[in-house]
C-alpha cells in the first residue's frame, strides 16, 4: 500500500458538509451579534443620493479620518417616539483639522481646491444648523468637514463641521 491521500466518498463529503452547517447554525446566535456590532451592509435610503453609490460595507469602530475617506457618522439626535436615535450618514471627509476653507455665497473651496456649489442655500432652514457663512477659516482640532459629491448634496457646506466623536466608522462602496 502506498501513502497516497485518500479521496472522500460522497457519503463522507455530505456528512462533513452537514456537520459544518450544523456547527455554523449552532454558533450563529453567538456570532451574528458580534459581527453586527462591528460590520454591516447598509443602503442609502435617499431618493437622490449625494454619492455615486447606494449601498456600503461599514466597519464600526475608531477611525482616523483622512481626506477622501468615506465615513459613517451621526449628524444630530432626533426624538423618535420617546427613543433618542441618531441619523446615520455616509459621506466623504473633505476637510480635516488644519485645512483652510473659503466659502462664498455660491461655492466652497478647501485648501485652494474648488469643492462645489452651495445652490441649496435658499431652501435651507437655519434653526438647527450651524451653517457655514461666507468667509475663510481653518478647521479646528476635533472637527471634520464632511461632504457629498453632487451639487445638491445636503452636507457640511450647510450644517457645518462634524465633531470627531460623531464619526463612528468607515465605509466602502458595496
Amino acid at each position: 500500500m502506498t501513502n497516497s491521500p485518500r479521496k472522500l466518498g460522497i457519503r463522507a463529503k455530505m456528512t462533513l458538509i452537514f456537520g459544518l452547517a450544523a456547527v455554523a447554525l449552532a454558533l450563529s446566535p453567538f456570532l451574528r451579534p458580534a459581527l453586527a456590532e462591528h460590520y454591516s451592509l447598509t443602503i442609502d435610503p435617499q431618493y437622490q443620493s449625494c454619492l455615486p453609490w447606494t449601498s456600503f460595507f461599514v466597519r464600526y469602530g475608531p477611525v482616523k479620518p483622512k481626506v477622501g475617506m468615506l465615513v459613517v457618522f451621526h449628524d444630530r439626535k432626533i426624538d423618535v417616539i420617546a427613543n433618542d436615535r441618531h441619523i446615520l450618514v455616509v459621506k466623504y471627509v473633505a476637510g480635516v483639522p488644519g485645512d483652510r476653507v473659503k466659502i462664498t455665497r455660491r461655492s466652497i473651496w478647501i485648501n485652494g481646491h474648488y469643492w462645489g456649489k452651495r445652490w441649496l442655500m435658499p431652501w435651507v432652514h437655519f434653526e438647527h444648523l450651524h451653517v457655514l457663512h461666507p468667509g475663510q477659516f481653518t478647521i479646528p482640532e476635533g472637527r471634520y468637514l464632511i461632504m457629498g459629491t453632487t451639487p445638491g448634496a445636503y452636507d457640511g457646506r450647510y450644517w457645518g463641521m462634524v465633531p470627531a466623536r460623531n464619526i463612528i466608522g468607515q465605509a466602502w462602496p458595496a
Side-chain angles (χ1 to χ4, degrees), residues 51 53 68-71 90-94 115 145-149:
L51 295 171
W53 315 281
M69 178 185 283
L70 282 170
V71 294
V90 175
K91 292 195 189 291
Y92 278 109
V93 175
W115 184 268
L145 187 55
I146 310 290
M147 312 265 271
T149 57

Side-chain angles (χ1 to χ4, degrees), residues 52-91:
W53 315 281
T54 56
S55 56
F56 301 92
F57 174 75
V58 176
R59 182 188 51 79
Y60 296 102
V63 175
K64 176 74 172 126
K66 295 177 178 62
V67 171
M69 178 185 283
L70 282 170
V71 294
V72 178
F73 64 99
H74 55 84
D75 62 345
R76 62 189 175 278
K77 271 185 151 177
I78 60 170
D79 187 5
V80 180
I81 312 172
N83 292 325
D84 283 337
R85 299 206 179 164
H86 297 286
I87 299 170
L88 294 182
V89 183
V90 175
K91 292 195 189 291

